[in-house]
Amino acid sequence: MNPSPRFRRSIRYALTTLALLLMAAPLAWSQRQRFMIEPNVPYDGRFTFVRLRYTQGYRMAWSADYPQMERNFMTILSDLSTLRLHKKASNVHVLDDPALSHYPIAYLTEPGYWIPTQQEAEALRRWIQKGGFLIVDDFYFDRQWAVFEKAMLSVLPNARMVPMDVSHPVFNAFFQIKTLEGMTHPATPLAKAEYLGIYEDNDPTKRLQVIINYNNDIGDYMEWSGEGWYPVNFSNDAYKFATNYVVYGLTH
């Protein structure tokens, strides 16, 4: 059986780390330069997929599935909707970038390695309170949850992260998602997907400010959706969740 993309990526990271330990400094520097962040597109009113880049925590964890996930998702969203969007471009912003205020939705991945600075936490808090909708994705099990919870509470100190019910509008914003059961994190089938939310003023009757995909990784399913690595139903469901999140964020 062929190894999964996540397994191959883990092996690649391990081999790269070993190589960096053995190589001279100039070569190590050149290895680090291979990863390129694409230029951000200027704000022009079209929907732009925004990924958050955190500066504290495990190096490069914020970039998981970048940029292929964005490209695949924007292609699907363009085909599904009449939304004016940037199909072949996306943005990366640090949490305290003033330009983030132009965009109503942002995606944060691998928060099990996220340690925001005080300045980043305060800036993200202001963005959320002004109407920003945050999508959190790709982490699993208690150890990563503990890191994320501490980070999220530094952003919204009084926040309560509550389990979501399938009847919530976020799961019916475009596709009618009939069940929240079935998906798992790509790293292990033991991580059964859960969906939690943070509401404005911790009031479930008010706006959902943060959607949390725990024990799941819709980004990975979307990144590899054309490669046949994962079950088709998981990839399809990932696109459904992501589409609903965008539509909800744009309409609330």
Side-chain angles (χ1 to χ4, degrees):
M1 182 175 65
N2 292 330
S4 71
R6 182 172 289 272
F7 178 78
R8 291 188 300 154
R9 188 166 60 194
S10 298
I11 294 297
R12 185 168 63 250
Y13 286 167
L15 293 176
T16 300
T17 301
L18 179 60
L20 290 176
L21 291 173
L22 298 175
M23 293 178 182
L27 182 55
W29 173 253
S30 68
Q31 290 279 62
R32 286 198 298 270
Q33 294 303 301
R34 290 183 180 179
F35 179 83
M36 297 294 293
I37 302 175
E38 299 175 351
N40 286 347
V41 295
Y43 176 76
D44 61 3
R46 286 185 284 174
F47 177 75
T48 305
F49 188 94
V50 171
R51 176 186 291 260
L52 295 180
R53 177 185 180 185
Y54 43 90
T55 59
Q56 300 292 321
Y58 185 74
R59 188 173 71 88
M60 306 304 291
W62 64 267
S63 66
D65 310 317
Y66 173 85
Q68 191 59 45
M69 181 271 283
E70 284 90 325
R71 296 296 178 273
N72 290 347
F73 179 37
M74 289 301 95
T75 297
I76 294 294
L77 192 59
S78 176
D79 291 342
L80 287 172
S81 71
T82 58
L83 188 65
R84 294 177 61 248
L85 53 77
H86 285 283
K87 186 175 179 180
K88 297 182 179 180
S90 59
N91 283 14
V92 174
H93 294 278
V94 292
L95 281 69
D96 54 352
D97 185 347
L100 186 60
S101 63
H102 291 304
Y103 305 100
I105 302 170
Y107 175 82
L108 187 146
T109 191
E110 296 210 7
Y113 303 98
W114 171 42
I115 307 172
T117 65
Q118 181 178 349
Q119 180 175 330
E120 288 175 328
E122 291 174 352
L124 187 58
R125 181 186 312 136
R126 290 192 297 270
W127 177 79
I128 291 173
Q129 291 175 340
K130 290 180 179 179
F133 182 59
L134 181 64
I135 301 168
V136 180
D137 188 38
D138 188 7
F139 68 124
Y140 62 105
F141 292 159
D142 292 348
R143 184 174 180 180
Q144 292 189 24
W145 173 268
V147 175
F148 160 71
E149 184 178 41
K150 181 178 180 180
M152 196 70 245
L153 289 176
S154 73
V155 175
L156 298 171
N158 298 317
R160 292 202 300 268
M161 290 162 258
V162 298
M164 301 290 293
D165 185 272
V166 73
S167 65
H168 190 276
V170 75
F171 300 120
N172 296 274
F174 188 91
F175 291 102
Q176 185 179 16
I177 295 174
K178 297 181 179 180
T179 179
L180 299 183
E181 298 180 0
M183 293 192 74
T184 63
H185 195 284
T188 171
L190 297 178
K192 306 297 184 182
E194 300 178 34
Y195 305 88
L196 300 99
I198 298 175
Y199 294 95
E200 183 179 1
D201 299 327
N202 291 319
D203 184 346
T205 66
K206 293 186 178 182
R207 180 177 72 91
L208 181 66
Q209 296 176 314
V210 183
I211 183 70
I212 303 162
N213 298 295
Y214 177 51
N215 283 341
N216 202 352
D217 183 358
I218 63 173
D220 204 53
Y221 286 124
M222 290 190 288
E223 179 191 13
W224 296 97
S225 59
E227 303 298 324
W229 288 106
Y230 297 131
V232 172
N233 60 312
F234 281 7
S235 296
N236 288 345
D237 285 349
Y239 282 119
K240 289 179 182 179
F241 280 110
T243 300
N244 279 19
Y245 296 162
V246 167
V247 172
Y248 180 89
L250 291 176
T251 55
H252 292 76

